[in-house]
Amino acid sequence: MGERSGGTIEYCEAPILVKAYHNKAFDSIQTHYAMVVNSKKSPEEKAAVVFHEIGHLLCGHLPQDETLKKYSWIKLSVPKRDREKLSTEQKEFEAETACILIMKGLGYEYDRSKYLDGYLVNGAEPQYDLEMSIAAADQFLKWMKNDSELRYYIPNI
């Protein structure tokens, strides 16, 4: 990935099998989402990358994964959006704002203003959907709160 890139999340045409922690055990599930995190980053940076990429997912920047809907315990509600109308700058501000809210909600100090500076439009923030970022962070934090097993698993990234 190189030194600068933190990670990415992509929608894959063919489903992939992953292990997810549920009911004090790992379950095998199929998903079309794949995330890559740069191994050269610090643990704090890796956590921020994961939450940023989750922000992309929960803000509706990726196609819907119908396969995941059959797992009722995941409760992934992603808005249907016209992704083609969103600029890269809008998507990055939405995802990073969700990430900042998640990090702060989990009690981490977090400042990524330099990252967001790379996505300014003519020196200003792009018009983006702040409510979408808040809703994405809120959904994730509620999910973490309601599934204490998962909460203890995530920090071991």
Side-chain angles (χ1 to χ4, degrees), residues 7-144:
T8 186
I9 188 168
E10 303 288 332
Y11 180 89
C12 304
E13 288 300 320
I16 54 177
L17 191 64
V18 297
K19 297 222 182 259
Y21 194 67
H22 174 66
N23 285 339
K24 299 181 182 180
F26 283 96
D27 288 342
S28 294
I29 64 171
Q30 283 191 333
T31 179
H32 288 269
Y33 299 125
M35 184 186 302
V36 175
V37 178
N38 190 334
S39 64
K40 295 177 181 166
K41 299 295 182 182
S42 71
E44 295 81 10
E45 290 172 313
K46 288 178 185 177
V49 167
V50 168
F51 296 136
H52 174 90
E53 300 308 330
I54 287 171
H56 279 300
L57 174 64
L58 295 178
C59 287
H61 300 161
L62 299 165
Q64 297 285 317
D65 186 343
E66 299 298 325
T67 307
L68 282 182
K69 290 183 180 178
K70 70 180 183 179
Y71 304 106
S72 60
W73 56 273
I74 293 178
K75 297 178 187 156
L76 186 64
S77 59
V78 179
K80 292 195 183 230
R81 299 180 77 186
D82 189 351
R83 296 179 310 277
E84 303 303 319
K85 290 185 178 180
L86 295 171
S87 69
T88 299
E89 293 79 12
Q90 289 170 309
K91 291 176 186 176
E92 291 303 318
F93 261 81
E94 285 180 358
E96 191 62 15
T97 300
C99 173
I100 290 167
L101 294 170
I102 290 169
M103 294 289 284
K104 289 188 184 271
L106 294 174
Y108 294 102
E109 288 296 319
Y110 185 66
D111 178 19
R112 288 274 297 218
S113 53
K114 287 185 180 184
Y115 176 81
L116 289 175
D117 285 349
Y119 293 98
L120 297 174
V121 177
N122 297 323
E125 289 185 4
Q127 289 187 350
Y128 68 100
D129 192 341
L130 178 60
E131 289 181 14
M132 183 66 68
S133 298
I134 292 169
D138 185 58
Q139 178 186 348
F140 185 80
L141 290 169
K142 283 180 182 174
W143 183 44
M144 292 288 287

